[in-house]
Amino acid sequence: MKINTKVIHGYPMTDKYTGSSSIPIYQSSTYSQTNIEEKYKYIYSRFSNPSRDSLSDAICAIENAQYAEMFSSGMAAISAILLNFSQGDHIVACKSIYGGSFQLMTEFLPRYGISVSFVDATDPLNYANAINEHTKAFYIETPSNPTLQITDLKSVISIAKKNNLITICDNTFMTPLLSDVLSLGIDFSINSATKFINGHSDVILGTVATNNERYAEMLHKSAVAIGSIAAPFDSWLTMRGLKSMAMRVERSSENAQKLAEHLEKHSKVKHVFYPGLTSHPNHQIHMSQSKNGGMVVSFDLDNYDNVKTFLDAVRIPLVAVSLGGIESIISYPRIMSHACLSEEERLVQGVTEGLLRFSVGCEDIDDIIVDIDNALAQIK
Ligand code: PLP
């Protein structure tokens, strides 16, 4: 089944009881047990819920996965995995990483005796060199948020396998449609479905997919015990969004490529970060593990004054936190996605005062380019 068909028909998409074309929002916390000796599939919605299960089937389809667990946010999904490590365990993670994940790994995990070393993930050897006798896992984000650094998945997975380590990949920027990380050998594929999977900036939800039965059981147990489960309404909205995901991703990534090429030639833009550009240092590696450069372009306007002038002048994109909506969204990572880091740490990660992150939507790209050019023209 090809992808445009799969996102619509690759999983049970009608209600099995009524034939309803949209699986209902089962807004129920508990379920009648008419015979207490019988074993029921649904007993309490923290354990399972039909709307959430339907989304889970859809995520399995697009991830080419056997199992998927739905969480109340991308961060809940990440936490559910990481809280399964134990006191004394060590994880190696990429240095360029979403601010919330960095905060979890530096402010929370150490309190439970779990340590994390951050490495420059653009060289797989750095992952290898950071392994110690307590290392249990590699945590990867590629392309990274917001500087779009690339990890060579095949090499890092091969190092992990040789050392018997678990691999965890936050695939939010590529989505399973552009990078099938489980087929490459990743153990846990994470997505903040808040972004491109739902795609309408109206839901917070996280997904984890795996092909390992033991890991799936562990994830489900964590979701139940921690209680960070996706709500029925959010699951329903995400199912609805997912059905148009292939079209959105195709359109947004084509737009992003055009925008990146345009910005790269613009005199007011100091640098463009986009793995679909041949000038990106890891373009070849990225294209070997992804279908295209993705939907997010970051660029540097050199200083805060230029950023402020530009953001005050831009008209079409939403200036906001987040990404992955059908509408274009521009974020200023320094005070948005990476606000929880110290200025020193931000600079280590390349989050400079001139850096903007552009999640390219499905608008007509010519309109976006005119708008961006007008805004750039205001910079002296
Ligand atoms: N991972 C990445 C790469 C993100 O960009 C984000 C949020 O921006 C998250 C995880 C967290 O997702 P959520 O906001 O759904 O918790």
Side-chain angles (χ1 to χ4, degrees):
M1 205 182 269
K2 288 192 176 165
I3 200 62
N4 280 290
T5 317
K6 202 185 216 180
V7 293
I8 304 170
H9 297 285
Y11 50 93
M13 53 85 81
T14 54
D15 183 42
K16 63 179 168 204
Y17 304 108
T18 62
S20 156
S21 62
S22 155
I23 293 178
I25 305 161
Y26 283 89
Q27 193 63 44
S28 195
S29 61
T30 192
Y31 304 81
S32 157
Q33 301 186 34
T34 43
N35 176 0
I36 59 163
E37 287 175 356
E38 220 174 285
K39 245 191 163 329
Y40 291 95
K41 180 162 183 204
Y42 294 107
I43 51 177
Y44 187 57
S45 277
R46 179 156 48 80
F47 306 157
S48 49
N49 170 281
S51 308
R52 191 160 78 239
D53 286 357
S54 303
L55 175 63
S56 170
D57 290 342
I59 295 295
C60 281
I62 65 167
E63 288 268 18
N64 296 318
Q66 280 176 275
Y67 314 97
E69 198 63 41
M70 306 296 102
F71 293 91
S72 55
S73 67
M75 283 315 303
I78 297 168
S79 307
I81 300 174
L82 297 184
L83 288 178
N84 273 281
F85 291 98
S86 306
Q87 188 172 21
D89 287 350
H90 171 250
I91 298 167
V92 184
C94 46
K95 182 173 74 177
S96 176
I97 191 169
Y98 169 58
S101 308
F102 184 80
Q103 186 173 38
L104 176 69
M105 291 177 193
T106 52
E107 289 183 35
F108 288 81
L109 294 190
R111 291 197 220 153
Y112 304 100
I114 303 163
S115 60
V116 183
S117 300
F118 294 93
V119 296
D120 175 349
T122 56
D123 182 352
L125 276 184
N126 292 334
Y127 268 100
N129 292 337
I131 296 173
N132 67 38
E133 57 182 314
H134 302 293
T135 308
K136 293 288 182 322
F138 284 169
Y139 186 97
I140 303 157
E141 194 181 289
T142 184
S144 65
N145 182 357
T147 51
L148 300 153
Q149 291 187 8
I150 302 301
T151 304
D152 177 346
L153 286 171
K154 282 183 204 131
S155 302
V156 171
I157 291 166
S158 142
I159 297 166
K161 296 244 182 287
K162 274 190 208 123
N163 290 278
N164 224 1
L165 305 177
I166 296 167
T167 47
I168 306 161
C169 181
D170 181 339
N171 197 24
T172 298
F173 271 39
M174 276 297 114
T175 83
L177 267 47
L178 296 183
S179 188
D180 183 0
V181 296
L182 288 181
S183 302
L184 290 173
I186 286 288
D187 294 313
F188 291 101
S189 166
I190 303 169
N191 271 272
S192 165
T194 310
K195 319 294 195 245
F196 298 101
I197 293 180
N198 175 59
H200 290 77
S201 304
D202 50 13
V203 163
I204 301 279
L205 195 140
T207 69
V208 184
T210 182
N211 278 318
N212 179 308
E213 190 180 357
R214 193 167 55 83
Y215 293 158
E217 279 165 14
M218 180 205 95
L219 273 175
H220 185 64
K221 210 185 230 185
S222 310
V224 170
I226 301 169
S228 50
I229 41 131
F233 183 45
D234 291 349
S235 301
W236 181 84
L237 273 173
T238 305
M239 276 279 269
R240 184 179 142 126
L242 186 143
K243 289 176 188 165
S244 62
M245 183 188 174
M247 279 186 295
R248 286 186 284 102
V249 162
E250 188 180 333
R251 169 72 169 233
S252 285
S253 50
E254 278 169 17
N255 280 353
Q257 180 74 36
K258 285 182 191 155
L259 180 71
E261 285 169 9
H262 180 78
L263 290 174
E264 199 177 34
K265 287 186 248 133
H266 204 291
S267 60
K268 301 272 175 66
V269 178
K270 190 172 155 196
H271 189 72
V272 180
F273 304 82
Y274 183 65
L277 291 175
T278 50
S279 58
H280 187 288
N282 292 115
H283 170 74
Q284 298 288 358
I285 288 169
H286 176 77
M287 296 309 281
S288 73
Q289 60 196 26
S290 310
K291 292 208 172 76
N292 61 39
M295 291 70 78
V296 182
V297 179
S298 292
F299 56 102
D300 194 337
L301 292 184
D302 194 37
N303 59 55
Y304 178 71
D305 288 344
N306 290 351
V307 163
K308 179 83 174 80
T309 307
F310 174 79
L311 291 181
D312 285 346
V314 85
R315 289 290 165 262
I316 296 177
L318 206 64
V319 176
V321 168
S322 201
L323 59 127
I326 193 157
E327 68 286 309
S328 290
I329 301 177
I330 304 186
S331 300
Y332 184 43
R334 187 166 164 245
I335 61 160
M336 295 182 182
S337 58
H338 288 66
C340 57
L341 273 58
S342 67
E343 180 69 7
E344 191 187 354
E345 184 54 45
R346 275 194 288 272
L347 292 176
V348 169
Q349 295 197 21
V351 183
T352 55
E353 65 169 42
L355 188 75
L356 286 166
R357 189 190 70 200
F358 198 140
S359 164
V360 188
C362 296
E363 300 93 345
D364 287 306
I365 192 62
D366 296 345
D367 290 332
I368 296 289
I369 287 178
V370 168
D371 189 37
I372 297 306
D373 281 353
N374 284 340
L376 288 172
Q378 306 307 310
I379 297 174
K380 295 281 169 282

